């Protein structure tokens, strides 16, 4: 997948995605010295605005992993890469409106989610909430081949139970749980991405987690002595 910017060589997004499969890897790219390293996002955006569009590739490399996960989480399925390509292009075209000092990632994810919803609607391929969470599993870290078979089986079962339980949450609760935990965003980023006050994020997340706690079995699978 490539992002084509006017007058600039294509940005190889597929190559940028290498190594961002796991949640830890995605977080590392964005925050802890991955491909974007210690580069200040504000400085990168300033360079793009000043006529250096190729600098945008640094933002693409840093945020492709989380953008793909978000697109899959909200229903893009096999179209996730196309959705992310379009979202990155729209974000590039809208950088003039990006608020100085704001975090780039939540702003980008709002565009990704809107683009995902538009794609799903236009293709008339609405999926059930459970189906969306099943698709998200494909973007989750894989169980290593070296894992104990019993542990691997238990992990697979737990993920299946989680998908089913998420499908029983209300839309707002599922949104906030997905952003906060499945996309590994902190509270402030979740609030900014959803356009909600932090207090609203806290209350809806609390209700969602309580409902999940009722729906999911205890970690040991037991029901007491």
């Amino acid at each position: 997948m490539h992002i084509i910017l006017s007058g600039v060589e294509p940005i190889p997004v597929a190559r940028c995605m290498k190594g961002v499969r796991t949640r830890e890897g995605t977080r590392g790219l964005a925050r802890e010295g991955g491909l974007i390293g210690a580069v200040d996002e504000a400085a990168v955006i300033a360079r793009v605005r000043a006529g250096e569009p190729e600098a945008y590739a640094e933002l693409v490399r840093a945020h492709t992993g989380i953008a793909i996960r978000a697109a899959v989480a909200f229903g893009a399925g096999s179209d996730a890469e196309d959705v992310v390509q379009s979202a990155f292009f729209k974000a590039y075209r809208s950088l003039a409106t990006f608020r100085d000092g704001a975090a780039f990632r939540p702003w980008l994810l709002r565009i990704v989610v809107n683009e995902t919803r538009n794609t799903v609607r236009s293709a008339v391929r609405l999926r059930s909430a459970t189906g969306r969470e099943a698709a998200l599993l494909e973007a989750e870290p894989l169980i290593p081949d070296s894992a104990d078979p019993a542990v691997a089986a238990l992990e697979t079962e737990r993920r299946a139970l989680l998908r089913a339980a998420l499908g029983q949450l209300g839309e707002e609760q599922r949104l906030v749980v997905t952003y906060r935990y499945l996309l590994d965003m902190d509270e402030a980023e979740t609030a900014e991405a959803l356009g909600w006050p932090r207090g609203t994020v806290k209350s809806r997340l609390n209700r969602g987690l309580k409902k999940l706690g009722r729906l999911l079995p205890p970690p040991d699978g037991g029901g007491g002595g």
Side-chain angles (χ1 to χ4, degrees):
M1 178 175 66
H2 293 74
I3 292 179
I4 310 298
L5 303 181
S6 178
V8 183
E9 289 298 313
I11 297 175
V13 177
R15 194 162 69 238
C16 297
M17 290 170 55
K18 186 177 180 181
V20 298
R21 184 79 186 269
T22 67
R23 178 177 300 132
E24 292 77 15
T26 301
R27 191 181 185 94
L29 284 174
R31 298 181 178 178
E32 299 172 4
L35 291 174
I36 198 167
V39 173
D40 184 350
E41 287 182 349
V44 174
I45 291 170
R47 286 164 58 196
V48 176
R49 287 172 168 172
E52 190 182 340
E54 59 272 17
Y56 191 65
E58 297 184 47
L59 296 175
V60 173
R61 285 193 293 267
H63 297 289
T64 291
I66 192 70
I68 290 286
R69 288 170 61 82
V72 173
F74 291 100
S78 61
D79 293 325
E81 288 192 3
D82 290 339
V83 165
V84 168
Q85 174 176 326
S86 179
F88 270 118
F89 181 71
K90 288 184 176 180
Y92 171 78
R93 294 288 299 272
S94 301
L95 275 182
T97 68
F98 181 75
R99 179 169 54 85
D100 290 339
F104 181 79
R105 184 164 75 157
W107 181 75
L108 171 68
L109 290 186
R110 285 200 301 272
I111 297 173
V112 171
V113 171
N114 287 337
E115 190 67 15
T116 299
R117 288 172 172 166
N118 291 338
T119 298
V120 171
R121 280 197 296 265
S122 65
V124 196
R125 288 182 293 104
L126 295 176
R127 296 172 173 88
S128 67
T130 301
R132 289 195 295 268
E133 301 308 334
L136 178 60
L137 182 63
E138 298 173 6
E140 287 293 298
L142 300 178
I143 299 172
D145 293 336
S146 59
D148 182 288
V151 173
L154 182 59
E155 182 66 17
T156 299
E157 180 182 359
R158 285 175 176 167
R159 289 182 186 175
L161 290 171
L162 177 60
R163 291 199 307 272
L166 283 168
Q168 296 183 58
L169 297 183
E171 178 69 11
E172 291 178 341
Q173 292 174 358
R174 190 178 61 79
L175 275 171
V176 72
V177 171
T178 297
Y179 269 108
R180 183 67 179 86
Y181 292 106
L182 298 185
L183 297 181
D184 200 26
M185 298 179 73
D186 63 30
E187 187 179 282
E189 290 175 318
T190 299
E192 187 168 349
L194 290 170
W196 298 349
R198 290 183 67 168
T200 301
V201 168
K202 285 183 179 180
S203 61
R204 290 175 180 170
L205 182 61
N206 184 54
R207 288 195 294 270
L209 292 178
K210 284 183 177 178
K211 186 170 182 179
L212 280 178
R214 294 193 297 270
L215 294 169
L216 292 170
D220 62 6

